[in-house]
Each structure stands twice: as structure tokens, then as C-alpha cells.
Amino acid sequence: MKCPACFNELSELHVSKFRVDVCQGGCGGIWFDAFELQRVDEEKEAVGERLLEIQRDERIIVDTTRKRECPRCAGVKLMRHFSSPKRQVEIDECPNCAGYWLDAGELGRIRQEKTQMAVEASRKPTKPTLAPETIRYLYRVQAQNRKTP
Ligand SMILES: [Zn+2]
Ligand SMILES: [Zn+2]
């Protein structure tokens, strides 16, 4: 398979029970087949850490504005979209095989974004709480309702 970003030959990388295709010594991008990205993410740190250390040639600068072709499906163009509602990282997805292309550094940024979102979610109160004055008001309304025949 050829790298969709710099046309280097992709090499297979086995990490734990996953097999991904990486542009080792090229642009440092990673190809995930359908659902592999989610599964790698569920596997916690160890798997991701290794994927964050792919050797790349610093002289290769990829053109992220160019339409890329899916390395698996001949003639199918990858679609660029944001990886989450926070809209910080753009990833390329194949509309045909549902695989993903991540440029060097994007996996790290997706992870950072996830941690950020988890922290933000944990800050939000889980149950809506009523202010004491609201509770007092509701008691008064109830009491009045009972008095009226
Ligand atoms: Zn490449
Ligand atoms: Zn494809």
C-alpha cells in the first residue's frame, strides 16, 4: 500500500493485537482500517504510545489541502472531517471502506482532545440541583394550593 500523503510504501506495524499501516521513515502518518482507531483508543496507553513514536523524515512536508486517495480502494478519495465536536483535529476517512488516515501528530492531538473532553465532562454537575430559594418558592406554592378549596 502506498502512503496517501507522500506516496512512500507503507509498512505494517503490529502493536498488541492490532495491525496498522504506517508511513515509517516517510511522513509518519498512520492508516487505520475500519474500527481499528476506536479499538486502539479503547486499549489505553500502551498501544497508543507506540503509535506516537513513528519514525518520520522531517524534510517531508505533506500538503494537507490536497485530496488524498484511499490506499485500499483504488480511485476513492478520502473525506476530510473533524474527529470530534471540538473541531480541533481533522482526519481523513474513506467513504468506501471506513478506514482512517491520520497525519503525524494527529493521534496525539486526538488523545489530548479526548482527555480534555473527559475533564470538562467530569466538571459538570451530574444532577441538576435546585437553589434553596426555588425550593422555598415551590413549598409556598404547594401550601397555597392546599388552602384554596
Ligand atoms: Zn507518507
Ligand atoms: Zn477505502
Side-chain angles (χ1 to χ4, degrees):
M1 276 192 350
K2 289 259 187 289
C3 170
C6 74
F7 309 106
N8 182 24
E9 193 65 39
L10 295 178
S11 41
E12 280 192 6
L13 182 69
H14 295 258
V15 189
S16 154
K17 53 183 184 284
F18 304 98
R19 188 192 56 75
V20 293
D21 297 279
V22 297
C23 187
Q24 191 112 26
C27 65
I30 312 171
W31 174 259
F32 292 92
D33 283 324
F35 308 115
E36 271 179 353
L37 180 57
Q38 286 97 314
R39 283 167 55 211
V40 165
D41 247 9
E42 284 160 13
E43 275 289 304
K44 306 288 175 213
E45 308 310 320
V47 178
E49 292 300 304
R50 280 199 55 192
L51 295 177
L52 296 175
E53 295 162 5
I54 291 156
Q55 284 173 22
R56 56 184 282 233
D57 186 339
E58 299 286 340
R59 288 165 300 181
I60 295 177
I61 294 155
V62 295
D63 179 5
T64 51
T65 56
R66 191 179 52 81
K67 280 265 180 194
R68 294 157 172 180
E69 268 188 32
C70 176
R72 284 227 184 277
C73 320
V76 178
K77 294 261 192 288
L78 298 177
M79 309 221 301
R80 202 139 246 267
H81 64 84
F82 290 100
S83 66
S84 83
K86 283 188 86 73
R87 305 172 76 85
Q88 288 176 351
V89 190
E90 276 189 299
I91 53 178
D92 291 297
E93 184 179 8
C94 175
N96 188 51
C97 67
Y100 286 99
W101 176 256
L102 264 61
D103 285 312
E106 283 182 340
L107 182 65
R109 283 162 61 204
I110 290 176
R111 300 206 142 203
Q112 270 176 9
E113 199 182 62
K114 281 212 163 159
T115 340
Q116 248 178 41
M117 279 164 64
V119 169
E120 279 165 26
S122 69
R123 276 197 204 126
K124 281 181 199 145
T126 45
K127 278 180 207 157
T129 47
L130 287 176
E133 52 269 34
T134 316
I135 297 170
R136 275 197 293 274
Y137 169 78
L138 289 172
Y139 266 115
R140 241 180 292 138
V141 172
Q142 261 189 358
Q144 275 168 8
N145 282 351
R146 258 185 240 125
K147 272 180 223 157
T148 46

